Amino acid sequence: MSTKSHNIITLVCILIIMFCIVAFVLIAVDNRDKTNFVFNEHLQDTLVTISYDDNVDSLSLKDVSYYILVMEASVNHTASLYNPSNNSAYWNLYINNTFLKSIAKDNTIYVAIRDHIYYCEALANGYKLDESEQKIISEEADSIYNNMTGKQVDATALTLEDLYNIRYKIGLATKYITHLKNDEGLTEEELNIDGKFYTELLEKYVYKIDNLWDNITLGNITVDDTNITQQEN
């Protein structure tokens, strides 16, 4: 082998080693950032921006934390039935090439966006909640607030007023959805996040999910289960 060939091979090896080192450092930094991410320190950060017509709305992580709370409670209940001694067994199920916790995460953010869009549509079409409906919303907020665990309170920092406002938005969105079903003949499937009506409605809205969402893994934010591992976002 000539000296020139030997030098080229040596240079290539050095470049490969340098590339591996840089890649290792970048992965380590990314993992460190996710490990050091403290959920309740980012509650006021904007998580989603939604633009339509001349309006720009935003959802904070705190707004979406309610949906995380509901999703985690629901999935964790099923997880406790699936394997009473280890809830992570259900959360870490691998379905259709992804983890169940990732499916739950996607559904959480897209349901929050869907509710906001139907809420906007309700307002645009002049819908309001009457006194009796507002009373129901108030009772719902009271019930949720009084039954929140210490971990749920610490993680979300949701106040009774926050819960009322979130439940009001959901209540108004639900009232509009009920109108679409009863008066327009639309089905539940058409109105869902992957339904024909909703996907067409979504074309008049532009939404962006902040990279903040990449740092979040569902499974033990608002529920007590130290066995759940951080395998997949």
Side-chain angles (χ1 to χ4, degrees):
M1 180 183 297
S2 67
T3 302
K4 182 177 181 181
S5 298
H6 181 271
N7 290 340
I8 292 174
I9 292 173
T10 301
L11 178 60
V12 169
C13 290
I14 292 173
L15 290 175
I16 291 174
I17 292 171
M18 290 178 64
F19 174 80
C20 291
I21 292 173
V22 171
F24 175 80
V25 170
L26 290 175
I27 292 172
V29 169
D30 183 62
N31 289 336
R32 183 196 64 192
D33 290 342
K34 289 184 178 181
T35 301
N36 293 337
F37 182 82
V38 180
F39 184 88
N40 61 9
E41 291 181 358
H42 296 270
L43 293 173
Q44 302 306 321
D45 293 354
T46 297
L47 181 59
V48 183
T49 54
I50 303 174
S51 306
Y52 57 101
D53 298 330
D54 295 324
N55 303 300
V56 179
D57 295 344
S58 64
L59 299 178
S60 67
L61 179 58
K62 187 174 185 179
D63 295 325
V64 177
S65 73
Y66 169 80
Y67 290 86
I68 292 174
L69 184 155
V70 172
M71 179 63 75
E72 286 196 326
S74 176
V75 175
N76 221 45
H77 174 70
T78 305
S80 66
L81 299 175
Y82 179 80
N83 188 335
S85 63
N86 183 13
N87 287 0
S88 65
Y90 184 73
W91 276 99
N92 289 323
L93 282 177
Y94 199 63
I95 304 171
N96 296 328
N97 297 318
T98 188
F99 288 99
L100 186 141
K101 65 172 62 175
S102 296
I103 297 172
K105 178 180 176 179
D106 288 344
N107 285 339
T108 297
I109 195 71
Y110 291 129
V111 168
I113 293 170
R114 179 206 63 184
D115 284 356
H116 186 82
I117 287 175
Y118 278 130
Y119 168 73
C120 292
E121 290 294 308
L123 290 177
N125 285 277
Y127 279 78
K128 296 179 181 179
L129 296 183
D130 59 32
E131 288 187 10
S132 63
E133 291 168 330
Q134 291 180 42
K135 182 179 179 181
I136 292 173
I137 295 298
S138 180
E139 291 171 352
E140 289 175 347
D142 282 336
S143 177
I144 295 169
Y145 184 74
N146 291 327
N147 285 284
M148 287 177 68
T149 66
K151 184 167 185 176
Q152 289 172 335
V153 172
D154 291 341
T156 67
L158 288 167
T159 65
L160 181 58
E161 182 180 3
D162 293 328
L163 290 168
Y164 177 84
N165 291 336
I166 292 169
R167 291 303 307 173
Y168 184 96
K169 176 188 287 189
I170 294 172
L172 192 57
T174 300
K175 185 172 185 176
Y176 183 66
I177 290 171
T178 300
H179 151 72
L180 293 174
K181 288 194 293 187
N182 294 344
D183 300 332
E184 304 295 334
L186 294 170
T187 65
E188 193 76 33
E189 290 74 19
E190 291 174 305
L191 295 163
N192 281 340
I193 55 177
D194 56 353
K196 184 176 185 295
F197 177 85
Y198 177 71
T199 53
E200 290 178 354
L201 174 64
L202 199 56
E203 292 179 1
K204 64 182 277 191
Y205 291 83
V206 176
Y207 69 85
K208 180 180 179 182
I209 302 172
D210 191 83
N211 292 337
L212 171 68
W213 191 236
D214 295 337
N215 295 299
I216 296 169
T217 300
L218 265 62
N220 59 0
I221 297 172
T222 64
V223 292
D224 293 312
D225 192 340
T226 56
N227 292 323
I228 293 176
T229 57
Q230 303 282 317
Q231 289 188 8
E232 183 84 2
N233 281 330

